Amino acid sequence: FELLRKKAREVCRDASELIKDWNENVVGKQQKSEETIKKQSRIEQRKQDCESTQNNLEEFKSRAIYY
């Protein structure tokens, strides 16, 4: 559980940093370069990774036995 929680924290933090960078440096710009498209793709992937890791954590939590 602790390993999943740590992974979720890391993945979601990375996704958050990518989104922050996107909002500061890309939003509102007219031209989309190849680099911008790659950034957008990376953000989407990290967002999905974050959501998947969070779901795995929730699944584990529901099966956990607490004493």
Side-chain angles (χ1 to χ4, degrees):
F1 179 80
E2 190 61 34
L3 290 174
L4 281 173
R5 191 170 76 142
K6 183 179 178 181
K7 181 180 178 183
R9 202 176 307 135
E10 290 172 4
V11 169
C12 294
R13 185 181 312 125
D14 187 41
S16 179
E17 288 173 7
L18 288 170
I19 291 168
K20 181 181 175 185
D21 178 64
W22 177 268
N23 288 336
E24 290 174 355
N25 298 308
V26 179
V27 171
K29 307 268 173 131
Q30 294 293 329
Q31 185 179 11
K32 284 194 174 184
S33 67
E34 186 176 326
E35 183 181 336
T36 302
I37 294 168
K38 286 180 184 178
K39 278 185 178 182
Q40 187 175 19
S41 177
R42 185 168 178 226
I43 288 171
E44 288 300 319
Q45 182 61 52
R46 292 311 271 173
K47 182 180 170 211
Q48 289 175 4
D49 292 346
C50 176
E51 291 168 355
S52 174
T53 305
Q54 291 286 10
N55 289 338
N56 289 342
L57 188 60
E58 287 302 315
E59 285 179 29
F60 183 86
K61 218 164 118 178
S62 69
R63 293 178 294 177
I65 299 172
Y66 297 97
Y67 294 94

